[in-house]
Amino acid sequence: NAGVMQNPRHLVRRRGQEARLRCSPMKGHSHVYWYRQLPEEGLKFMVYLQKENIIDESGMPKERFSAEFPKEGPSILRIQQVVRGDSAAYFCASSPTAIWAEAFFGQGTRLTVV
Amino acid sequence: GQQVMQIPQYQHVQEGEDFTTYCNSSTTLSNIQWYKQRPGGHPVFLIQLVKSGEVKKQKRLTFQFGEAKKNSSLHITATQTTDVGTYFCAGRNNNDMRFGAGTRLTVKP
């Protein structure tokens, strides 16, 4: 059973471009969380999704950021018109159930905006 | 919404000294989980606490969940250089999982 897969591991974008970050949860996991981590800082909650539904997006900026978790395929975190301040590590985590199970993290995508 | 505060932000100890990090939630939690992130790595699950007043041990690590289920602590006895990393608590309630800011532990040999 492969772990949570995130790709790409590293992504470089110029200001104004779009960044697409993908997360394939572990097999059988239908709960996905996205977090942003700035250098030397903690994990900031962005969005929580279940298959085809956004459950909680209270941590995600209202503009330029969107997330989806389609019926088929990976969860996607999309950042439009990236700015330097978007440079960070973006982690996704998946769990099989709501609150009673541990979350498994992917290796993260390190986004650098130049 | 739910907020999880963690202190201290940084802790530097001499190898062999003890270390404790504290986690406080603004709301009552269904459970609390602890994760460790090594430098350059990703968070890895350590343990989950569910019951009020629960205490669990993993070798030199002792985890406690407060009676009111709003706070928790992680204590490491006689730290080793392999304990280096950032320790995060994650409060879970109503399908929500919010992390504390983490405590970054460095250990001097």
Side-chain angles (χ1 to χ4, degrees):
Chain A
N1 191 5
V4 177
M5 304 299 293
Q6 284 189 254
N7 67 81
R9 292 288 305 277
H10 299 274
L11 182 61
V12 179
R13 283 287 177 267
R14 295 187 185 278
R15 279 177 294 173
Q17 291 185 319
E18 177 180 288
R20 278 190 181 231
L21 287 61
R22 286 176 288 277
C23 170
S24 296
M26 287 183 70
K27 188 177 180 180
H29 287 195
S30 58
H31 300 256
V32 168
Y33 305 82
W34 283 94
Y35 296 88
R36 177 163 63 180
Q37 187 174 41
L38 295 170
E40 308 295 321
E41 293 192 9
L43 295 160
K44 183 175 182 297
F45 170 80
M46 297 184 74
V47 61
Y48 163 45
L49 311 103
Q50 293 181 27
K51 281 286 187 183
E52 298 184 274
N53 288 305
I54 295 174
I55 307 301
D56 182 353
E57 57 181 347
S58 59
M60 201 153 66
K62 294 284 187 288
E63 297 179 355
R64 302 191 298 109
F65 286 73
S66 62
E68 62 176 12
F69 188 14
K71 187 177 180 180
E72 301 291 337
S75 175
I76 305 286
L77 179 66
R78 183 181 175 205
I79 311 173
Q80 295 178 293
Q81 299 175 327
V82 295
V83 301
R84 288 254 172 91
D86 296 332
S87 295
Y90 292 84
F91 289 96
C92 90
S94 75
S95 65
T97 61
I99 65 173
W100 302 110
E102 68 187 89
F104 293 82
F105 279 81
Q107 303 274 5
T109 293
R110 270 81 178 168
L111 172 66
T112 303
V113 180
V114 298
Chain B
Q2 177 194 153
Q3 289 189 336
V4 177
M5 285 76 65
Q6 196 173 348
I7 57 170
Q9 188 174 0
Y10 301 96
Q11 186 77 56
H12 179 71
V13 300
Q14 191 79 34
E15 189 173 21
E17 291 182 338
D18 291 355
F19 159 76
T20 305
T21 173
Y22 301 90
C23 184
N24 291 286
S25 170
S26 58
T27 59
T28 301
L29 301 169
S30 299
N31 63 59
I32 197 158
Q33 298 175 347
W34 285 90
Y35 292 78
K36 178 183 179 181
Q37 184 179 24
R38 293 184 184 276
H42 60 281
V44 175
F45 175 81
L46 293 177
I47 207 161
Q48 174 174 276
L49 303 170
V50 179
K51 299 176 184 176
S52 169
E54 188 171 13
V55 177
K56 286 189 175 180
K57 292 193 174 187
Q58 288 180 349
K59 297 182 180 177
R60 294 178 295 104
L61 277 62
T62 302
F63 303 85
Q64 291 189 331
F65 200 10
E67 294 291 340
K69 299 184 76 172
K70 294 178 75 172
N71 57 72
S72 180
S73 65
L74 157 59
H75 179 81
I76 302 178
T77 304
T79 54
Q80 300 175 359
T81 53
T82 53
D83 295 326
V84 163
T86 302
Y87 293 84
F88 293 98
C89 61
R92 301 202 76 164
N93 192 33
N94 296 327
N95 296 337
D96 209 348
M97 184 166 75
R98 301 298 170 108
F99 282 80
T103 296
R104 186 179 174 195
L105 173 66
T106 54
V107 180
K108 185 177 181 181

